[in-house]
Amino acid sequence: MVFLLKMKPFKKAIVFKIEYLQRFMQQTTNQLIAGCKKGDKKSQLQLYTNYCDAMFTIACRYLRNEEDAKDAMQESFIKAFGKINNYESTYTIGAWLKRIVINQCLDVLKKQKLIFEDLDDVEYEFEEESDWYFNDAITKKEVLKAIESLTVKYKLVVQLYLIEGYDHEEISQILQLPIKTSRTHLRRGRLQLQELLNETKVKTNKEIIQQK
């Protein structure tokens, strides 16, 4: 009991330190944003340095070629600095940059002749959004690898929904699709993903048996 009583002030100190660091980092970020709005090159460089790795990782999720992903990331920052005066603190700067990066990647894909289904040919199928069950033995790495193998139009919706955390209204805005089409693509993408993961599970079990 004495040990627990001693631990409580220690835990409070840790929480206070974390909250202080978060406030300090947010204050620093706000200063960088203010500097960018004034066209300060040092602020732009620092903001780029703080977020370029994360934005490159996001770009790589949409563009298979790393050079294309790097170009898209850099072009996104150029666009971001050009639009920085439109940034509002309703979203974090990271979330705002992510949206620009994703849109830039989609522009690249469109130039590569990415075509969605003709909207008149889509048979709307509503998605049970809670039905994303995967076998416990399947790893996150296997899920991400399987997503890469999805049909492109399904892959984009699954990525935006499952990985980026966007809802259907946001996805429809990003992809310029009706919400019903977004739901249909998500459902088909989920079914395709589960099929791929089931195949992966069967192969894994077979490999284990062969090793024995």
Side-chain angles (χ1 to χ4, degrees), residues 109-122:
L109 290 173
K110 287 174 184 175
K111 289 178 182 177
Q112 296 174 354
K113 308 299 182 183
L114 171 68
I115 301 175
F116 287 96
E117 290 181 7
D118 188 322
L119 300 185
D120 292 333
D121 294 335
V122 174

Side-chain angles (χ1 to χ4, degrees), residues 137-148 193 197 200:
I138 295 174
T139 65
K140 180 180 178 180
K141 185 177 180 180
E142 288 172 332
V143 173
L144 294 175
K145 184 178 179 181
I147 289 175
E148 286 297 316
L193 180 61
L197 290 172
T200 299

